[in-house]
């Protein structure tokens, strides 16, 4: 994800073996321009713990995370909206 070879949404949706034990917060933080604040905002909106593993989330939670990722900058509570 960090090198841009695969997107976070694809990892969340497909849950490959290599990522199953990865925490959701670690996965989100791999993205460019994602820090602790944006990551926590996303997790809060999805009602997920930062320590929750990718393999342990439900299909509904997967779909919600993917939807939230599509919102992009709207997840950054510190960014001013114009």
């Amino acid at each position: 994800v960090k090198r841009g070879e695969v997107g976070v949404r694809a990892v969340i949706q497909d849950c490959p073996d290599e990522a199953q034990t990865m925490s959701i917060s670690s996965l989100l933080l791999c993205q460019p321009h994602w820090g602790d604040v944006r990551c926590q905002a996303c997790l809060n909106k999805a009602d997920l713990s930062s320590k929750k593993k990718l393999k342990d989330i439900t299909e509904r939670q997967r779909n919600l995370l993917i939807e939230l990722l599509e919102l992009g900058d709207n997840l950054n509570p510190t960014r001013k909206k114009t």
Side-chain angles (χ1 to χ4, degrees):
V1 172
K2 196 167 196 153
R3 290 184 299 220
E5 295 174 5
V6 65
V8 170
R9 284 179 255 171
V11 173
I12 292 171
Q13 187 170 3
D14 300 336
C15 193
D17 292 339
E18 305 86 12
Q20 287 188 10
T21 57
M22 189 176 207
S23 71
I24 299 296
S25 61
S26 295
L27 178 62
L28 293 176
L29 289 169
C30 286
Q31 300 178 99
H33 311 292
W34 275 69
D36 292 330
V37 173
R38 185 183 281 180
C39 177
Q40 195 57 51
C42 183
L43 292 172
N44 288 343
K45 287 184 183 215
D47 198 26
L48 288 168
S49 164
S50 61
K51 296 178 181 173
K52 189 87 164 180
K53 304 288 184 206
L54 185 59
K55 67 178 182 173
D56 296 329
I57 64 174
T58 66
E59 190 66 30
R60 183 192 64 79
Q61 290 169 321
R62 276 181 210 289
N63 291 333
L64 180 57
L65 270 175
I66 291 168
E67 185 178 318
L68 289 170
L69 289 169
E70 290 172 356
L71 292 175
D73 286 342
N74 293 330
L75 288 172
N76 189 347
T78 60
R79 177 166 279 181
K80 294 180 182 178
K81 295 181 174 65
T82 56

Coordinates of all heavy atoms in Angstrom, one line a residue:
V1 N 0.8 -1.2 0.0 CA 0.0 0.0 0.0 C 0.9 1.3 0.0 O 0.6 2.2 -0.8 CB -0.9 0.0 1.2 CG1 -1.7 1.3 1.4 CG2 -1.9 -1.1 1.2
K2 N 1.9 1.2 0.8 CA 2.7 2.4 1.0 C 3.4 2.8 -0.3 O 3.6 3.9 -0.7 CB 3.8 2.2 2.1 CG 4.4 3.5 2.5 CD 5.1 3.3 3.8 CE 5.4 4.6 4.4 NZ 5.6 4.6 5.8
R3 N 3.8 1.8 -1.1 CA 4.5 2.0 -2.4 C 3.5 2.3 -3.5 O 3.9 2.5 -4.6 CB 5.3 0.8 -2.8 CG 6.5 0.6 -1.8 CD 7.4 -0.5 -2.3 NE 6.6 -1.7 -2.3 CZ 7.1 -2.9 -1.9 NH1 8.3 -3.0 -1.5 NH2 6.3 -4.0 -1.8
G4 N 2.2 2.2 -3.3 CA 1.2 2.5 -4.3 C 0.9 1.3 -5.2 O 0.2 1.5 -6.2
E5 N 1.4 0.1 -4.9 CA 1.1 -1.0 -5.7 C -0.3 -1.6 -5.6 O -0.8 -2.2 -6.5 CB 2.2 -2.1 -5.4 CG 3.6 -1.7 -5.7 CD 4.6 -2.7 -5.3 OE1 4.2 -3.8 -4.8 OE2 5.8 -2.4 -5.4
V6 N -0.9 -1.3 -4.5 CA -2.3 -1.8 -4.2 C -2.9 -0.7 -3.3 O -2.3 -0.1 -2.5 CB -2.3 -3.2 -3.6 CG1 -1.7 -3.2 -2.2 CG2 -3.7 -3.8 -3.5
G7 N -4.2 -0.5 -3.5 CA -5.0 0.4 -2.7 C -5.5 -0.2 -1.5 O -5.8 -1.4 -1.4
V8 N -5.7 0.7 -0.5 CA -6.3 0.3 0.8 C -7.7 -0.3 0.6 O -8.0 -1.3 1.3 CB -6.3 1.5 1.8 CG1 -7.1 1.1 3.1 CG2 -4.9 1.9 2.2
R9 N -8.5 0.3 -0.2 CA -9.8 -0.2 -0.4 C -9.8 -1.7 -0.9 O -10.6 -2.5 -0.5 CB -10.6 0.6 -1.4 CG -11.1 1.9 -0.7 CD -11.8 2.8 -1.7 NE -10.8 3.8 -2.1 CZ -11.0 4.7 -3.0 NH1 -12.0 4.7 -3.8 NH2 -10.1 5.7 -3.2
A10 N -8.8 -2.0 -1.8 CA -8.7 -3.3 -2.4 C -8.3 -4.3 -1.3 O -8.8 -5.4 -1.2 CB -7.7 -3.4 -3.5
V11 N -7.4 -3.9 -0.4 CA -7.0 -4.7 0.7 C -8.1 -5.0 1.7 O -8.3 -6.1 2.1 CB -5.7 -4.1 1.5 CG1 -5.4 -4.9 2.7 CG2 -4.5 -4.0 0.5
I12 N -8.9 -3.9 2.0 CA -10.0 -4.1 2.9 C -11.0 -5.1 2.3 O -11.6 -6.0 2.9 CB -10.6 -2.8 3.3 CG1 -9.7 -2.0 4.1 CG2 -12.0 -3.0 4.0 CD1 -10.1 -0.5 4.3
Q13 N -11.3 -4.9 1.0 CA -12.3 -5.7 0.3 C -11.9 -7.1 0.2 O -12.7 -8.1 0.5 CB -12.7 -5.1 -1.0 CG -13.8 -5.7 -1.7 CD -14.3 -5.0 -2.9 OE1 -13.7 -3.9 -3.3 NE2 -15.4 -5.4 -3.5
D14 N -10.7 -7.3 -0.3 CA -10.2 -8.7 -0.6 C -9.6 -9.4 0.6 O -9.5 -10.7 0.6 CB -9.2 -8.6 -1.7 CG -9.8 -8.0 -3.0 OD1 -11.0 -8.1 -3.2 OD2 -9.0 -7.5 -3.8
C15 N -9.1 -8.7 1.6 CA -8.5 -9.3 2.8 C -7.5 -10.4 2.4 O -7.7 -11.5 2.8 CB -9.5 -9.8 3.7 SG -8.9 -10.1 5.4
P16 N -6.4 -10.1 1.7 CA -5.4 -11.1 1.3 C -4.7 -11.7 2.6 O -4.7 -11.0 3.7 CB -4.4 -10.3 0.5 CG -4.6 -8.9 0.8 CD -6.0 -8.7 1.3
D17 N -4.2 -12.9 2.5 CA -3.6 -13.5 3.6 C -2.5 -12.7 4.3 O -2.4 -12.7 5.5 CB -2.9 -14.9 3.1 CG -3.9 -15.9 2.7 OD1 -5.1 -15.8 3.1 OD2 -3.5 -16.8 2.0
E18 N -1.7 -11.9 3.5 CA -0.7 -11.1 4.1 C -1.2 -10.0 5.0 O -0.5 -9.5 5.8 CB 0.1 -10.4 3.0 CG 0.7 -11.4 1.9 CD -0.3 -11.7 0.8 OE1 -1.3 -11.0 0.7 OE2 0.0 -12.6 0.0
A19 N -2.4 -9.6 4.8 CA -3.0 -8.5 5.6 C -4.0 -8.9 6.7 O -4.4 -8.0 7.4 CB -3.6 -7.5 4.6
Q20 N -4.3 -10.1 6.8 CA -5.4 -10.5 7.7 C -5.1 -10.2 9.1 O -6.0 -9.8 9.9 CB -5.6 -12.0 7.6 CG -6.4 -12.4 6.3 CD -6.8 -13.8 6.3 OE1 -6.7 -14.6 7.2 NE2 -7.3 -14.3 5.1
T21 N -3.8 -10.3 9.6 CA -3.5 -10.0 11.0 C -3.1 -8.5 11.2 O -2.7 -8.1 12.3 CB -2.4 -10.9 11.5 OG1 -1.2 -10.7 10.6 CG2 -2.8 -12.4 11.4
M22 N -3.2 -7.7 10.2 CA -2.8 -6.3 10.3 C -3.9 -5.5 10.9 O -5.1 -5.8 10.6 CB -2.6 -5.8 8.9 CG -2.0 -4.4 8.8 SD -1.7 -4.0 7.1 CE -0.4 -2.8 7.3
S23 N -3.6 -4.6 11.8 CA -4.7 -3.8 12.4 C -5.2 -2.8 11.4 O -4.5 -2.4 10.5 CB -4.2 -3.1 13.6 OG -3.3 -2.0 13.3
I24 N -6.5 -2.5 11.5 CA -7.1 -1.5 10.6 C -6.3 -0.2 10.6 O -6.1 0.4 9.6 CB -8.6 -1.3 10.9 CG1 -9.3 -2.6 10.8 CG2 -9.2 -0.2 10.1 CD1 -9.4 -3.2 9.5
S25 N -5.9 0.3 11.8 CA -5.2 1.5 11.9 C -3.9 1.5 11.2 O -3.5 2.4 10.5 CB -5.1 2.0 13.4 OG -4.3 1.0 14.1
S26 N -3.2 0.4 11.3 CA -1.9 0.3 10.6 C -2.1 0.3 9.1 O -1.3 1.0 8.4 CB -1.2 -1.1 11.0 OG -0.8 -1.1 12.3
L27 N -3.1 -0.3 8.6 CA -3.5 -0.3 7.2 C -3.8 1.2 6.8 O -3.3 1.6 5.8 CB -4.6 -1.2 6.9 CG -5.1 -1.3 5.5 CD1 -4.0 -1.8 4.6 CD2 -6.3 -2.2 5.4
L28 N -4.6 1.8 7.5 CA -5.0 3.2 7.1 C -3.8 4.1 7.2 O -3.7 5.0 6.3 CB -6.1 3.7 8.1 CG -7.5 3.0 8.0 CD1 -8.4 3.6 9.0 CD2 -8.0 3.1 6.6
L29 N -2.9 4.0 8.1 CA -1.8 4.8 8.3 C -0.7 4.6 7.2 O 0.2 5.5 7.0 CB -1.1 4.7 9.6 CG -1.9 5.2 10.8 CD1 -1.3 4.8 12.1 CD2 -2.0 6.7 10.7
C30 N -0.8 3.5 6.4 CA 0.1 3.3 5.3 C -0.2 4.2 4.1 O 0.7 4.4 3.3 CB -0.1 1.9 4.8 SG 0.6 0.6 5.8
Q31 N -1.4 4.8 4.1 CA -1.7 5.7 3.0 C -1.0 7.1 3.1 O -0.8 7.6 4.2 CB -3.2 6.0 3.0 CG -4.1 4.8 2.9 CD -5.5 5.2 3.0 OE1 -6.2 5.3 2.0 NE2 -6.0 5.4 4.2
P32 N -0.7 7.6 1.9 CA -0.1 9.0 1.9 C -1.1 10.0 2.5 O -2.3 9.9 2.3 CB 0.1 9.3 0.5 CG 0.1 8.0 -0.2 CD -0.8 7.1 0.6
H33 N -0.6 10.9 3.3 CA -1.4 12.0 3.9 C -2.4 11.5 5.0 O -3.3 12.2 5.3 CB -2.1 12.8 2.8 CG -1.2 13.2 1.7 ND1 -0.2 14.2 1.9 CD2 -1.2 12.8 0.4 CE1 0.4 14.3 0.7 NE2 -0.1 13.5 -0.2
W34 N -2.2 10.3 5.5 CA -3.0 9.9 6.6 C -2.2 9.8 7.8 O -1.2 9.0 7.9 CB -3.6 8.5 6.3 CG -4.8 8.5 5.4 CD1 -4.9 8.9 4.1 CD2 -6.1 8.2 5.9 NE1 -6.2 8.9 3.7 CE2 -7.0 8.4 4.8 CE3 -6.7 7.7 7.0 CZ2 -8.4 8.2 4.8 CZ3 -8.0 7.5 7.1 CH2 -8.9 7.7 6.0
G35 N -2.6 10.6 8.8 CA -2.0 10.5 10.1 C -2.9 10.0 11.2 O -4.0 9.5 10.9
D36 N -2.5 10.1 12.4 CA -3.3 9.6 13.5 C -4.7 10.2 13.6 O -5.7 9.6 13.9 CB -2.6 9.8 14.9 CG -1.3 9.0 15.0 OD1 -1.3 7.9 14.4 OD2 -0.4 9.4 15.7
V37 N -4.8 11.5 13.4 CA -6.1 12.2 13.5 C -7.1 11.7 12.4 O -8.3 11.4 12.8 CB -5.9 13.8 13.4 CG1 -7.3 14.5 13.3 CG2 -5.1 14.3 14.5
R38 N -6.7 11.7 11.2 CA -7.6 11.2 10.1 C -7.9 9.7 10.3 O -9.1 9.3 10.2 CB -7.0 11.4 8.8 CG -8.0 11.1 7.7 CD -7.4 11.2 6.3 NE -7.4 12.6 5.9 CZ -6.9 13.0 4.8 NH1 -6.4 12.2 3.9 NH2 -6.9 14.3 4.5
C39 N -7.0 9.0 10.7 CA -7.2 7.5 11.0 C -8.2 7.3 12.1 O -9.2 6.6 11.9 CB -5.9 6.9 11.3 SG -6.0 5.1 11.7
Q40 N -8.0 8.0 13.2 CA -8.9 7.9 14.3 C -10.3 8.4 13.9 O -11.3 7.8 14.4 CB -8.4 8.6 15.5 CG -9.1 8.2 16.8 CD -9.0 6.7 17.1 OE1 -7.9 6.2 17.1 NE2 -10.1 6.1 17.3
A41 N -10.5 9.4 13.2 CA -11.8 9.9 12.7 C -12.5 8.9 11.9 O -13.7 8.6 12.1 CB -11.6 11.2 11.9
C42 N -11.8 8.2 11.0 CA -12.3 7.1 10.2 C -12.8 6.0 11.1 O -13.9 5.5 10.9 CB -11.3 6.7 9.2 SG -12.0 5.4 8.0
L43 N -11.9 5.6 12.0 CA -12.3 4.4 12.9 C -13.5 4.8 13.8 O -14.3 3.9 14.0 CB -11.1 4.1 13.7 CG -9.9 3.5 13.0 CD1 -8.7 3.3 13.9 CD2 -10.3 2.1 12.4
N44 N -13.5 6.0 14.2 CA -14.7 6.4 15.1 C -16.0 6.4 14.3 O -17.0 5.9 14.8 CB -14.5 7.8 15.6 CG -13.4 7.9 16.7 OD1 -13.0 6.9 17.3 ND2 -12.9 9.1 17.0
K45 N -15.9 6.9 13.0 CA -17.1 6.8 12.2 C -17.6 5.4 11.9 O -18.8 5.2 11.7 CB -16.9 7.6 10.9 CG -16.9 9.1 11.1 CD -16.8 9.9 9.8 CE -16.7 11.3 10.2 NZ -17.3 12.2 9.2
A46 N -16.6 4.5 11.8 CA -17.0 3.1 11.5 C -17.2 2.3 12.8 O -17.5 1.1 12.7 CB -15.8 2.5 10.7
D47 N -17.0 3.0 13.9 CA -17.2 2.3 15.3 C -16.3 1.1 15.4 O -16.7 0.0 15.8 CB -18.7 2.0 15.5 CG -19.0 1.7 17.0 OD1 -18.3 2.3 17.8 OD2 -19.9 0.9 17.2
L48 N -15.0 1.3 15.1 CA -14.0 0.2 15.1 C -12.9 0.6 16.1 O -12.5 1.8 16.1 CB -13.4 0.0 13.7 CG -14.3 -0.7 12.7 CD1 -13.7 -0.7 11.4 CD2 -14.5 -2.2 13.1
S49 N -12.3 -0.3 16.7 CA -11.2 -0.1 17.6 C -9.9 0.0 16.7 O -9.9 -0.7 15.7 CB -11.0 -1.3 18.5 OG -9.7 -1.4 19.1
S50 N -9.0 0.7 17.1 CA -7.7 0.9 16.3 C -6.9 -0.4 16.3 O -6.1 -0.6 15.5 CB -6.9 2.0 16.9 OG -6.5 1.7 18.2
K51 N -7.2 -1.3 17.3 CA -6.5 -2.6 17.3 C -7.2 -3.7 16.6 O -6.6 -4.8 16.5 CB -6.2 -3.0 18.8 CG -5.4 -2.0 19.5 CD -5.1 -2.3 20.9 CE -4.2 -1.2 21.4 NZ -4.1 -1.2 22.8
K52 N -8.4 -3.5 16.1 CA -9.1 -4.5 15.4 C -8.4 -5.0 14.2 O -7.8 -4.2 13.4 CB -10.5 -3.9 15.0 CG -11.5 -4.9 14.4 CD -12.2 -5.5 15.6 CE -13.5 -6.2 15.1 NZ -14.2 -6.8 16.1
K53 N -8.3 -6.3 14.0 CA -7.6 -6.9 12.9 C -8.5 -6.9 11.6 O -9.7 -7.1 11.8 CB -7.1 -8.3 13.2 CG -6.3 -8.4 14.4 CD -4.9 -7.9 14.2 CE -4.0 -8.1 15.4 NZ -3.0 -7.1 15.6
L54 N -7.9 -6.8 10.5 CA -8.6 -6.9 9.2 C -9.5 -8.1 9.1 O -10.6 -8.1 8.7 CB -7.7 -6.7 8.1 CG -8.3 -6.6 6.7 CD1 -9.2 -5.4 6.6 CD2 -7.2 -6.5 5.6
K55 N -8.9 -9.2 9.5 CA -9.7 -10.5 9.4 C -10.9 -10.6 10.3 O -11.8 -11.4 10.1 CB -8.8 -11.7 9.7 CG -8.3 -11.8 11.1 CD -7.5 -13.0 11.4 CE -7.1 -13.0 12.8 NZ -6.4 -14.3 13.2
D56 N -11.0 -9.7 11.3 CA -12.0 -9.8 12.3 C -13.2 -8.8 12.1 O -14.1 -8.8 12.8 CB -11.5 -9.5 13.7 CG -10.5 -10.6 14.1 OD1 -10.6 -11.7 13.7 OD2 -9.5 -10.3 14.9
I57 N -13.2 -8.0 11.0 CA -14.3 -7.1 10.8 C -15.3 -7.8 9.9 O -15.0 -8.7 9.1 CB -13.8 -5.8 10.2 CG1 -13.2 -5.9 8.8 CG2 -12.8 -5.1 11.1 CD1 -12.9 -4.6 8.1
T58 N -16.6 -7.3 10.1 CA -17.7 -7.9 9.4 C -17.8 -7.3 7.9 O -17.1 -6.3 7.6 CB -19.0 -7.6 10.1 OG1 -19.2 -6.2 10.1 CG2 -19.0 -8.1 11.5
E59 N -18.6 -7.9 7.1 CA -18.8 -7.4 5.8 C -19.4 -6.0 5.8 O -19.0 -5.2 5.0 CB -19.7 -8.4 5.0 CG -19.8 -8.1 3.5 CD -18.5 -8.3 2.8 OE1 -17.7 -9.2 3.2 OE2 -18.3 -7.6 1.8
R60 N -20.3 -5.8 6.7 CA -20.9 -4.4 6.9 C -19.8 -3.4 7.2 O -19.7 -2.3 6.7 CB -22.0 -4.4 8.0 CG -22.7 -3.1 8.1 CD -23.5 -3.0 9.3 NE -22.7 -3.1 10.6 CZ -22.0 -2.1 11.1 NH1 -22.0 -0.9 10.5 NH2 -21.4 -2.2 12.2
Q61 N -18.9 -3.8 8.1 CA -17.8 -2.9 8.5 C -16.8 -2.6 7.4 O -16.4 -1.5 7.2 CB -17.1 -3.4 9.8 CG -17.9 -3.4 11.0 CD -17.3 -4.1 12.2 OE1 -16.7 -5.2 12.0 NE2 -17.3 -3.6 13.4
R62 N -16.6 -3.7 6.6 CA -15.7 -3.6 5.4 C -16.3 -2.5 4.4 O -15.7 -1.6 3.9 CB -15.6 -4.9 4.7 CG -14.6 -5.8 5.2 CD -14.5 -7.1 4.3 NE -14.1 -8.1 5.2 CZ -12.9 -8.3 5.7 NH1 -12.0 -7.4 5.3 NH2 -12.5 -9.3 6.5
N63 N -17.6 -2.7 4.2 CA -18.3 -1.8 3.2 C -18.3 -0.4 3.7 O -18.1 0.6 3.0 CB -19.7 -2.3 2.9 CG -19.7 -3.6 2.1 OD1 -18.8 -3.9 1.4 ND2 -20.7 -4.4 2.3
L64 N -18.5 -0.2 5.0 CA -18.5 1.1 5.6 C -17.2 1.8 5.5 O -17.0 2.9 5.2 CB -19.0 1.1 7.1 CG -19.1 2.4 7.8 CD1 -20.0 3.4 7.1 CD2 -19.5 2.2 9.2
L65 N -16.1 1.0 5.8 CA -14.8 1.6 5.7 C -14.5 2.0 4.3 O -13.9 3.1 4.0 CB -13.7 0.5 6.1 CG -13.3 0.5 7.6 CD1 -12.4 -0.7 7.9 CD2 -12.7 1.8 8.0
I66 N -14.8 1.2 3.3 CA -14.6 1.5 1.9 C -15.3 2.8 1.6 O -14.8 3.7 0.9 CB -15.0 0.3 1.0 CG1 -14.0 -0.8 1.2 CG2 -15.0 0.8 -0.5 CD1 -14.4 -2.1 0.6
E67 N -16.6 2.9 2.0 CA -17.4 4.1 1.8 C -16.7 5.3 2.4 O -16.6 6.4 1.8 CB -18.8 3.9 2.3 CG -19.7 5.0 2.0 CD -21.1 4.7 2.6 OE1 -21.6 3.6 2.5 OE2 -21.7 5.7 3.1
L68 N -16.2 5.2 3.6 CA -15.6 6.3 4.3 C -14.3 6.7 3.6 O -14.0 7.9 3.5 CB -15.3 5.9 5.8 CG -16.5 5.8 6.7 CD1 -16.1 5.2 8.0 CD2 -17.2 7.2 6.9
L69 N -13.6 5.7 3.1 CA -12.3 6.1 2.3 C -12.6 6.9 1.1 O -11.8 7.7 0.6 CB -11.6 4.8 2.0 CG -10.9 4.1 3.2 CD1 -10.4 2.7 2.9 CD2 -9.8 5.0 3.8
E70 N -13.8 6.6 0.5 CA -14.2 7.3 -0.7 C -14.5 8.8 -0.4 O -14.4 9.6 -1.3 CB -15.3 6.6 -1.4 CG -14.9 5.3 -2.0 CD -16.0 4.5 -2.6 OE1 -17.2 4.9 -2.4 OE2 -15.8 3.4 -3.1
L71 N -14.8 9.1 0.9 CA -15.1 10.5 1.3 C -13.8 11.3 1.3 O -13.9 12.5 1.2 CB -15.8 10.5 2.6 CG -17.1 9.9 2.7 CD1 -17.6 9.9 4.2 CD2 -18.1 10.7 1.8
G72 N -12.7 10.7 1.4 CA -11.4 11.4 1.4 C -11.2 12.5 2.4 O -11.2 12.2 3.6
D73 N -11.1 13.7 2.0 CA -10.8 14.8 2.8 C -11.9 15.1 3.9 O -11.6 15.8 4.9 CB -10.5 16.1 2.0 CG -9.2 16.1 1.3 OD1 -8.3 15.3 1.8 OD2 -9.0 16.8 0.4
N74 N -13.0 14.7 3.7 CA -14.1 14.9 4.6 C -13.8 14.2 5.9 O -14.5 14.5 6.9 CB -15.5 14.5 4.1 CG -15.9 15.3 2.9 OD1 -15.6 16.5 2.8 ND2 -16.6 14.7 2.0
L75 N -12.9 13.3 6.0 CA -12.5 12.6 7.2 C -11.5 13.4 8.0 O -11.3 13.0 9.2 CB -12.0 11.2 6.9 CG -13.0 10.2 6.4 CD1 -12.2 8.9 6.0 CD2 -14.0 9.9 7.5
N76 N -10.9 14.4 7.5 CA -9.9 15.2 8.2 C -10.6 16.3 9.0 O -10.9 17.3 8.4 CB -8.9 15.7 7.2 CG -7.7 16.3 7.9 OD1 -7.7 16.5 9.1 ND2 -6.7 16.6 7.1
P77 N -10.8 16.1 10.3 CA -11.5 17.1 11.1 C -10.7 18.4 11.2 O -11.3 19.4 11.6 CB -11.6 16.4 12.4 CG -10.6 15.3 12.5 CD -10.3 15.0 11.1
T78 N -9.4 18.4 10.9 CA -8.7 19.7 11.1 C -8.6 20.5 9.8 O -8.3 21.7 9.9 CB -7.2 19.4 11.5 OG1 -6.6 18.6 10.5 CG2 -7.2 18.7 12.8
R79 N -9.0 19.9 8.7 CA -9.0 20.7 7.4 C -10.3 21.6 7.4 O -11.4 21.1 7.6 CB -9.0 19.7 6.3 CG -9.0 20.5 4.9 CD -8.7 19.6 3.8 NE -7.2 19.5 3.8 CZ -6.5 18.9 2.9 NH1 -7.1 18.2 2.0 NH2 -5.2 18.8 3.0
K80 N -10.1 22.8 7.0 CA -11.2 23.8 6.8 C -11.9 23.5 5.5 O -11.3 23.3 4.5 CB -10.7 25.2 6.9 CG -10.1 25.6 8.2 CD -9.6 27.0 8.2 CE -9.0 27.4 9.5 NZ -8.5 28.7 9.6
K81 N -13.2 23.5 5.6 CA -14.0 23.3 4.4 C -14.2 24.6 3.7 O -14.6 25.6 4.4 CB -15.3 22.6 4.8 CG -15.1 21.2 5.3 CD -16.4 20.5 5.6 CE -16.2 19.1 6.0 NZ -15.5 18.8 7.2
T82 N -14.1 24.6 2.4 CA -14.3 25.9 1.7 C -15.6 25.8 0.9 O -16.1 24.8 0.6 CB -13.1 26.1 0.7 OG1 -12.9 25.0 -0.1 CG2 -11.8 26.4 1.5

